[in-house]
Amino acid sequence: MADSAAEARIDQILVARALLGDDRRAFEQLVRRNQGMVRAQLRRLLQSDEAAADDLAQETFLLAWRKLGQFRNEARFSTWLHRIAYGCFLQACRTKSWAARRAQDDEMEHLPTPVQAMDLRLDLARAMRHLSTAEQTVLLHCAQLGLSHEEAAYVLAMPLGTVKTHATRGKAKLKTWLAAWHDAAGEERIP
Amino acid sequence: MNSIHDDDIDALLRQSFDGPIADDGFCDRVMQQLSRRRRPSAWPLAAGVLVGAAMCSLSLFTSPLWRAAWHGWLVGEWSNSSIIMLSIMAGMSLLALAWTLAEADDH
């Protein structure tokens, strides 16, 4: 927590430097410090379409550079970047085919019973794809990118209650679908 | 059936996330695309202040309160009108100061 606060403070100082003297080196530091998570966010949102994700990440940072004066410290700089990135993603969805691909991911009742525990990660990925788009998006931001519910609500422009509901429902579905893994693991432990 | 806890699902989700992507020249590509940021010009603010002051003077010019206050100042008297006008100006200045400080704090 303290580390996170210190990181946020460093970002804040770099933003101030970038704004005051039009300091490109300060902004470069901000890009270096935050590109990894922003690109990871976009790759997940675009289902591993790396080229498209990097194009959107580049657009995100160029937009952040232009709008830097509008950053008001109401959220951490990294959270502000995630919000811009998500906005770019939504904008791209309106014109590209990713939205149609995501829409095909209907909810499912059951997954096939797993065979080997080493496939758990693959099945989790499959289970995630069968959550609703909103549930996937909320779990990506909260559980994987490590944002709080409040920060996820800010990034996704959703009411806080809606974020919590999607997170709870998404986890409940994953629990149901992955219960067989848990049972299998339990049986292996019992002689 | 053994129950899976939220913490287990959280841990699984964290494990399935590969973490931040390595730079691999991404930052350099962004910096090459970066255009010079246009500084917001100061003239709209200055023009706004001047126009506001002019409009305020015009609207007050016909006011008996303003005339009485002006007359009081000219003859060096502290009339009620001059005190009211002075208080209004001091209040407006304080508001502007507070607004400026709040904006500076935001940056």
Side-chain angles (χ1 to χ4, degrees):
Chain A
M1 181 67 89
D3 281 352
S4 157
E7 293 290 319
R9 184 74 192 136
I10 292 170
D11 279 350
Q12 223 174 44
I13 292 166
L14 287 168
V15 169
R17 271 180 50 193
L19 276 172
L20 277 177
D22 209 15
D23 187 343
R24 294 164 75 97
R25 289 178 65 184
F27 188 75
E28 187 177 348
Q29 287 300 311
L30 286 168
V31 178
R32 283 195 196 286
R33 291 166 57 80
N34 292 286
Q35 61 84 25
M37 288 304 270
V38 169
R39 287 166 74 200
Q41 173 198 19
L42 287 165
R43 281 189 189 187
R44 280 296 170 123
L45 287 169
L46 293 172
Q47 296 169 354
S48 299
D49 187 344
E50 294 182 10
D54 280 5
D55 284 348
L56 282 188
Q58 188 162 319
E59 196 181 321
T60 298
F61 283 104
L62 295 178
L63 208 55
W65 170 250
R66 284 206 298 275
K67 291 185 164 185
L68 201 58
Q70 295 172 23
F71 175 61
R72 299 279 174 192
N73 288 322
E74 59 196 12
R76 288 187 297 165
F77 182 71
S78 54
T79 312
W80 186 66
L81 280 177
H82 283 310
R83 184 182 166 101
I84 295 178
Y86 188 67
C88 287
F89 163 73
L90 289 180
Q91 186 68 33
C93 276
R94 288 187 197 111
T95 53
K96 304 254 168 66
S97 58
W98 299 307
R101 207 160 68 201
R102 284 165 70 86
Q104 288 170 358
D105 292 340
D106 298 330
E107 289 187 29
M108 65 175 201
E109 293 303 318
H110 300 290
L111 282 172
T113 306
V115 181
Q116 290 181 355
M118 66 196 331
D119 293 332
L120 175 57
R121 198 172 146 148
L122 285 175
D123 267 11
L124 177 70
R126 283 185 61 201
M128 278 289 280
R129 281 200 293 276
H130 285 84
L131 294 174
S132 73
T133 304
E135 287 160 357
Q136 281 182 51
T137 309
V138 166
L139 286 182
L140 162 67
H141 287 84
C142 292
Q144 297 187 308
L145 295 174
L147 301 183
S148 65
H149 285 141
E150 287 79 6
E151 287 174 323
Y154 172 77
V155 169
L156 305 174
M158 270 182 195
L160 180 58
T162 309
V163 167
K164 287 181 177 172
T165 304
H166 285 313
T168 308
R169 280 189 192 156
K171 283 181 192 173
K173 285 178 188 172
L174 289 178
K175 270 195 273 190
T176 308
W177 294 337
L178 298 174
W181 280 111
H182 197 258
D183 293 344
E187 282 164 14
E188 278 174 18
R189 276 196 298 271
I190 299 166
Chain B
M1 179 189 285
N2 296 320
S3 62
I4 302 180
H5 295 289
D6 273 4
D7 290 347
D8 299 330
I9 292 292
D10 281 334
L12 271 176
L13 286 169
R14 273 196 301 275
Q15 283 165 18
S16 73
F17 180 60
D18 297 327
I21 310 291
D23 190 304
D24 289 333
F26 174 81
C27 184
D28 294 334
R29 288 197 296 278
V30 170
M31 293 312 290
Q32 281 167 11
Q33 297 283 322
L34 221 58
S35 58
R36 191 161 187 82
R37 194 148 35 83
R38 282 186 303 165
R39 290 189 150 280
S41 51
W43 72 264
L45 180 64
V49 169
L50 283 175
V51 169
M55 297 292 283
C56 196
S57 308
L58 276 175
S59 60
L60 280 173
F61 194 69
T62 51
S63 156
L65 182 71
W66 173 254
R67 283 170 179 273
W70 186 244
H71 181 72
W73 285 331
L74 284 180
V75 297
E77 278 179 13
W78 284 101
S79 61
N80 286 342
S81 324
S82 57
I83 290 170
I84 289 170
M85 291 306 292
L86 204 60
S87 307
I88 290 171
M89 279 192 247
M92 299 283 278
S93 304
L94 281 173
L95 275 175
L97 177 67
W99 183 43
T100 310
L101 286 175
E103 283 292 308
D105 197 36
D106 275 351
H107 285 286

